[in-house]
Amino acid sequence: MNETTRTYDVIVIGAGPVGENVAERARAAGLSTVIVERELLGGECSYWACDPSKALLRPVVAHADARRIPGLRQAVTGPLDVAAVLAHRDAMASHWKDDDQVDWLNSVDVDLIRGHGRLAGIRQVAVQTAEGHTIQLTARHTVAISTGTSAAVPDIPGIDTVHPWTSREATSADEVPGRLAVVGGGVVAVEMATAWQALGSQVTMLVLENALLERMEPFAGEMVADGLRDAGVDIRLGISVTSLAREGGRGGEVRITLSDGSELAVDEILFATGRAPRTADLGLESVGLTPGDWLTVDDTFRVTAIADGWLYAIGDVNRRALMTHQGKYQARIAGAVIGARANGEPVDDTAWGAHAATADHTAVPQVVFTHPEVAAIGLTTREAERNGRRIKVVDYDLAHIAGAHQYGEGYRGKARMLIDLDRNTVAGVTFAGPGVGELVHSATIAIAGEVPLERLWHAVPAFPTLGEVWLRLLETHRG
């Protein structure tokens, strides 16, 4: 077995959007940097999550909106062109090739090693390549782990025999199953149910909880459930899968036994039941950490259990906020910190807040790309009450906004703003309705900037847009 040894200032394990951003910023700080990746550069988001899933969902949402607009409704007849949708999805996923990403990495002068990287002691990483070689890496300053997460599949009798879908298969499948069971009620579950029902599957959702999107405001999950049911999805709440069997091997019918004693037959079953950190085979034991654990970090993304601060964990693997945009935000912070510390510069809270991540605690935006959409940031009512925050809940019917009617007849939507009565600022916002995804950044600015309501009153929304809801929420608050 061939073995080589190399030394860099910074070693990054994982070349998704997070790892790429960390590596780029470390190199920009003048540090020699290498990134280690065993799959495709660009990671989950580029090939099996953000990009392909939205490519599947955008035609579905646009089609649903178009069928409600007078003058356009008559021109939109028949189902979606499935082949065209899947071809567009393939293009958005770069046909699962990472040539462009490699070119970009070369342009920022970051080295790439393809292989499985594992920690092998303090500032040490061993990489096993596909050719069977071992490359021993030493970091002068920092090792950054950005390996993300994978789908967490429950231990159910028979699950190993049915080859279930996870989010990867759901976003990359090249055929539409006639019948699809979706297990779960969170974001991946509702988005994939939306997409595949519109593409021709008969979708049945099996949801252990008694509502969809339970971590959000209740009205959001209720409206998404209504939209799914209108599209033909069968939603079964408060039910779980107790056993599985596939008849006739791959391609055969999947028989599902449910907790109420009934059975369901489908062609494929998708488990959208959470995420697990990709740390089980990362060599954590070599530095005194537990394989398979999430990695706890401080606000500069140093792993708190490592005494001398050479190990960082950035993105989903630290469990602070499992979303690509938050991971990239963390990468920008971590890259600035790594560069400053390695160059002997002070690490403090500058005017730009370049050296401490605060948004993970209070200002994490999220959009659910269903029909209707959901957009949210900050606290929900339940979270505020649980945290003892003194808040006022302000609701407004989005159907009363002039701009909403540009989305077609029969618009249904709702906005909720939580006001922190002690700070006189916005503590949380949730929107549900067609087109609301574009409202979330204004809410993010209000919350992250801690804009006093007296100043927010002077942020005049354009007419006629959905953004006018801000004026109506403030008017409702003032009474």
Side-chain angles (χ1 to χ4, degrees):
M1 181 180 291
N2 296 326
E3 183 171 311
T4 60
T5 301
R6 305 179 194 174
T7 300
Y8 291 87
D9 293 325
V10 177
I11 302 168
V12 180
I13 305 177
V18 175
E20 288 177 330
N21 273 270
V22 173
E24 178 192 24
R25 280 158 175 75
R27 187 69 191 94
L31 305 177
S32 61
T33 304
V34 64
I35 196 165
V36 180
E37 177 56 59
R38 62 178 176 174
E39 292 188 299
L40 296 172
L41 271 70
E44 204 78 11
C45 182
S46 297
Y47 306 104
W48 301 286
C50 320
D51 290 340
S53 70
K54 302 316 168 279
L56 292 174
L57 287 160
R58 180 58 191 151
V60 175
V61 173
H63 188 248
D65 284 341
R67 295 177 70 174
R68 296 186 346 190
I69 298 176
L72 184 56
R73 179 190 303 120
Q74 295 79 0
V76 181
T77 59
L80 292 168
D81 183 335
V82 174
V85 172
L86 295 182
H88 174 60
R89 184 273 318 274
D90 293 351
M92 289 298 293
S94 301
H95 300 279
W96 291 275
K97 296 179 180 178
D98 62 3
D99 297 1
D100 289 344
Q101 298 280 353
V102 173
D103 290 343
W104 172 83
L105 203 63
N106 289 334
S107 75
V108 297
D109 197 23
V110 171
D111 286 354
L112 166 66
I113 298 177
R114 292 188 183 273
H116 187 171
R118 298 177 180 86
L119 295 172
I122 297 173
R123 295 186 178 86
Q124 303 294 312
V125 174
V127 183
Q128 298 293 321
T129 70
E131 296 76 24
H133 301 157
T134 300
I135 301 174
Q136 298 289 343
L137 302 177
T138 299
R140 295 187 185 92
H141 299 293
T142 298
V143 176
I145 296 174
S146 301
T147 49
T149 60
S150 57
V153 179
D155 185 14
I156 296 172
I159 196 166
D160 292 338
T161 68
V162 302
H163 306 288
W165 280 11
T166 66
S167 53
R168 284 199 170 193
E169 291 76 18
T171 55
S172 63
D174 56 11
E175 293 184 2
V176 179
R179 300 161 298 173
L180 173 66
V182 176
V183 183
V187 175
V188 172
V190 296
E191 287 189 346
M192 290 299 94
T194 298
W196 288 105
Q197 179 72 28
L199 290 171
S201 290
Q202 174 53 59
V203 175
T204 302
M205 295 190 72
L206 306 172
V207 186
L208 178 62
E209 297 80 13
N210 290 314
L212 302 183
L213 301 175
E214 274 218 320
R215 295 184 180 180
M216 305 182 107
E217 294 284 5
F219 71 82
E222 291 165 5
M223 291 184 65
V224 169
D226 288 344
L228 287 167
R229 290 190 179 104
D230 288 345
V233 175
D234 178 8
I235 302 175
R236 305 186 189 184
L237 301 174
I239 199 162
S240 61
V241 176
T242 58
S243 67
L244 296 162
R246 188 185 286 271
E247 298 180 354
R250 286 205 179 200
E253 186 176 76
V254 178
R255 306 290 300 186
I256 308 170
T257 303
L258 303 174
S259 55
D260 63 0
S262 65
E263 289 192 352
L264 176 67
V266 296
D267 299 294
E268 298 291 351
I269 182 169
L270 161 63
F271 280 90
T273 49
R275 308 291 295 180
R278 284 183 178 154
T279 62
D281 192 13
L282 197 58
L284 294 184
E285 66 279 2
S286 71
V287 294
L289 301 176
T290 304
D293 276 2
W294 300 92
L295 298 175
T296 302
V297 297
D298 62 19
D299 282 349
T300 67
F301 301 104
R302 276 179 161 172
V303 176
T304 56
I306 299 298
D308 55 357
W310 58 271
L311 185 64
Y312 289 67
I314 307 124
D316 285 5
V317 74
N318 63 38
R319 207 181 193 178
R320 287 167 63 111
L322 276 66
M323 281 168 276
T324 297
H325 46 272
Q326 289 300 125
K328 291 165 73 174
Y329 161 75
Q330 292 178 11
R332 294 190 291 272
I333 300 291
V337 169
I338 290 167
R341 285 177 172 150
N343 291 321
E345 300 167 3
V347 174
D348 54 15
D349 187 7
T350 67
W352 280 90
H355 296 142
T358 58
D360 291 341
H361 305 303
T362 59
V364 178
Q366 183 173 18
V367 179
V368 185
F369 293 87
T370 45
H371 194 269
E373 287 181 342
V374 178
I377 182 170
L379 297 175
T380 64
T381 307
R382 285 175 295 194
E383 289 169 339
E385 292 171 348
R386 189 165 58 244
N387 295 340
R389 296 280 287 274
R390 207 167 64 89
I391 62 163
K392 178 180 178 181
V393 178
V394 182
D395 290 337
Y396 196 80
D397 187 343
L398 278 167
H400 295 158
I401 302 294
H405 297 285
Q406 305 304 322
Y407 286 83
E409 296 175 338
Y411 187 98
R412 293 182 63 241
K414 183 174 179 177
R416 170 167 292 179
M417 178 172 67
L418 305 185
I419 296 173
D420 187 312
L421 295 174
D422 296 317
R423 297 174 176 85
N424 203 36
T425 57
V426 180
V429 183
T430 300
F431 303 107
V436 299
E438 297 304 327
L439 290 173
V440 75
H441 193 58
S442 55
T444 303
I445 292 170
I447 292 175
E450 299 179 347
V451 181
L453 296 186
E454 294 84 356
R455 291 304 307 155
L456 200 56
W457 179 256
H458 295 282
V460 181
F463 181 89
T465 67
L466 281 175
E468 193 184 6
V469 69
W470 282 103
L471 172 61
R472 302 309 173 199
L473 285 166
L474 291 169
E475 286 179 333
T476 302
H477 165 56
R478 292 179 66 167

